[in-house]
């Protein structure tokens, strides 16, 4: 049994071929897609976060709106770039969205992906401390965020406050109990997966890794998951972690599917470069359900994960993305034992 959700990048473009031609289209359709996914019986609605791009950016208003419109489905991010975040303000936003949703938030965070602009985090007021780099700044923001999630008081109260204070040091409000255990780290390689385990974060692994050892992507990702779990086991955390992997999976069950994705039926891993370093990209899965069942059964990382996030082509619109999820849930997942 696995939790199955979707991951939307939230693209929009004014092209007449796109069903999302504006930011408004993407935001409203993101809510509608989460509602549709819940009705289909999917377990999660997750959204990418990119700045300076025609994609979803500030996630918390969207997550709160989805939380108010749904009742069961997990809602989350994959991932928030912590180089851009003020962890103190983020605590208030995340806790508010979590409480609105009835504590269904699953928050994926990370160092982030390659940027649209040069050092975009500086425009948000964040500069690495001398002697460190942007990756270490993201990790420091993360450590602060995780500490604040514990809900311990740290701020000296005003002796003459506008409103009465409880005794002792004050914490940020609102506080959402349990959110600390629902934070995920988007790890790009085996080393950062181990760091995530040490920090007590769940593991979120996508369709690319910023390393390559020559073995197939799914096997390298399975190694990452194994190292994460081994590190977690010796780190002394009081709860069990979760692991998600993202996959592009397109069951071909009609002529429209064949027109869109029939040409990807023989996809393979790709090796390239990101931020000047080598990376391995996982293949897309497209084909008749019987073929997908056979191929996914051999995916070692999917087997090792408890959660699978289906990357959806959001520019094709809510109805088509819901169709892709429905085909996966009904034609593929039961035969694999995921349902």
């Amino acid at each position: 049994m696995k939790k199955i959700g979707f991951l939307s990048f939230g693209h929009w473009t004014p092209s007449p071929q796109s069903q999302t031609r504006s930011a408004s289209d993407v935001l409203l359709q993101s809510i509608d897609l989460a509602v549709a996914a819940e009705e289909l019986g999917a377990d999660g609605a997750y959204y990418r976060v990119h700045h300076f791009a025609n994609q979803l950016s500030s996630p918390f208003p969207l997550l709160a709106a989805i939380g108010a419109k749904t009742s069961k489905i997990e809602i989350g991010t994959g991932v928030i770039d912590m180089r851009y975040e003020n962890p103190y303000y983020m605590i208030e936003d995340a806790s508010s969205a979590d409480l609105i949703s009835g504590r269904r938030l699953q928050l994926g965070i990370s160092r982030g992906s390659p940027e649209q602009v040069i050092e975009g985090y500086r425009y948000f007021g964040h500069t690495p401390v001398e002697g460190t780099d942007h990756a270490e700044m993201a990790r420091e923001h993360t450590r602060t965020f995780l500490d604040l999630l514990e809900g311990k008081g740290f701020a000296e109260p005003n002796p003459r406050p506008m409103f009465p204070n409880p005794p002792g040091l004050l914490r940020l409000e609102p506080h959402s109990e349990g959110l600390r255990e629902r934070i995920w780290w988007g790890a790009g390689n085996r080393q950062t997966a181990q760091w995530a385990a040490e920090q007590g974060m769940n593991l979120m692994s996508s369709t690319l890794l910023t390393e390559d050892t020559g073995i197939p992507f799914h096997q390298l990702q399975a190694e990452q998951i194994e190292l994460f779990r081994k590190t977690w086991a010796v780190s002394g955390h009081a709860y069990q972690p979760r692991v998600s992997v993202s996959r592009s999976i397109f069951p071909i069950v009609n002529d429209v599917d064949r027109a869109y994705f029939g040409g990807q039926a023989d996809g393979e891993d790709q090796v390239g470069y990101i931020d000047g370093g080598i990376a391995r990209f996982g293949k897309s899965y497209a084909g008749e359900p019987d073929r997908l069942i056979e191929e996914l059964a051999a995916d070692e990382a999917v087997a090792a994960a408890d959660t699978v996030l289906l990357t959806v082509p959001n520019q094709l619109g809510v109805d088509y993305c819901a169709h892709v999820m429905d085909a996966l849930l009904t034609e593929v997942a039961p035969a694999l034992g995921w349902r």
Side-chain angles (χ1 to χ4, degrees), residues 63-182:
L63 296 174
I66 293 170
K69 293 278 286 187
T70 58
S71 60
K72 297 179 181 178
I73 197 168
E74 295 178 342
I75 55 176
T77 50
V79 291
I80 295 173
D81 188 334
M82 292 301 289
R83 294 174 294 183
Y84 285 76
E85 294 298 321
N86 177 326
Y88 292 83
Y89 197 82
M90 186 177 174
I91 285 286
E92 297 178 348
D93 275 350
S95 297
S96 296
D98 192 40
L99 292 172
I100 288 171
S101 71
R103 294 187 169 91
R104 288 181 282 131
L105 194 63
Q106 303 285 340
L107 204 61
I109 63 177
S110 187
R111 190 220 72 169
S113 58
E115 300 177 277
Q116 292 293 111
V117 299
I118 297 172
E119 297 182 340
Y121 46 83
R122 294 181 183 271
Y123 295 101
F124 281 57
H126 304 300
T127 305
V129 175
E130 186 174 352
T132 68
D133 62 9
H134 62 109
E136 177 54 36
M137 179 178 68
R139 288 190 288 270
E140 183 56 35
H141 286 180
T142 298
R143 283 188 285 263
T144 300
F145 179 67
L146 295 177
D147 287 344
L148 293 171
L149 277 172
E150 299 290 348
K152 298 176 183 177
F154 64 92
E156 286 284 350
N158 188 334
R160 299 181 183 84
M162 181 177 295
F163 306 106
N165 281 324
L169 300 177
L170 302 183
R171 67 185 183 187
L172 291 168
E173 298 292 353
H175 173 70
S176 186
E177 192 71 36
L179 180 56
R180 173 64 178 83
E181 297 180 12
R182 288 179 274 117

Side-chain angles (χ1 to χ4, degrees), residues 231-249:
T231 304
W232 187 284
V234 299
S235 294
H237 305 303
Y239 50 97
Q240 292 300 310
R242 287 176 59 184
V243 173
S244 75
V245 294
S246 301
R247 290 291 184 272
S248 298
I249 306 171

Side-chain angles (χ1 to χ4, degrees), residues 216-293:
F217 173 84
H218 72 98
Q219 292 179 345
L220 182 59
Q221 193 174 47
E223 287 184 10
Q224 180 195 49
I225 294 170
E226 182 179 11
L227 285 170
F228 169 80
R229 289 201 167 115
K230 284 182 177 179
T231 304
W232 187 284
V234 299
S235 294
H237 305 303
Y239 50 97
Q240 292 300 310
R242 287 176 59 184
V243 173
S244 75
V245 294
S246 301
R247 290 291 184 272
S248 298
I249 306 171
F250 302 106
I252 296 177
V253 298
N254 60 34
D255 289 340
V256 175
D257 300 329
R258 190 167 292 106
Y260 280 139
F261 301 108
Q264 298 183 25
D266 297 314
E268 297 180 347
D269 292 354
Q270 301 291 323
V271 177
Y273 291 87
I274 289 184
D275 280 351
I278 196 166
R280 180 170 280 268
F281 301 78
K283 69 177 184 178
S284 295
Y285 290 93
E288 307 291 335
D290 288 348
R291 177 177 175 175
L292 291 183
I293 291 164

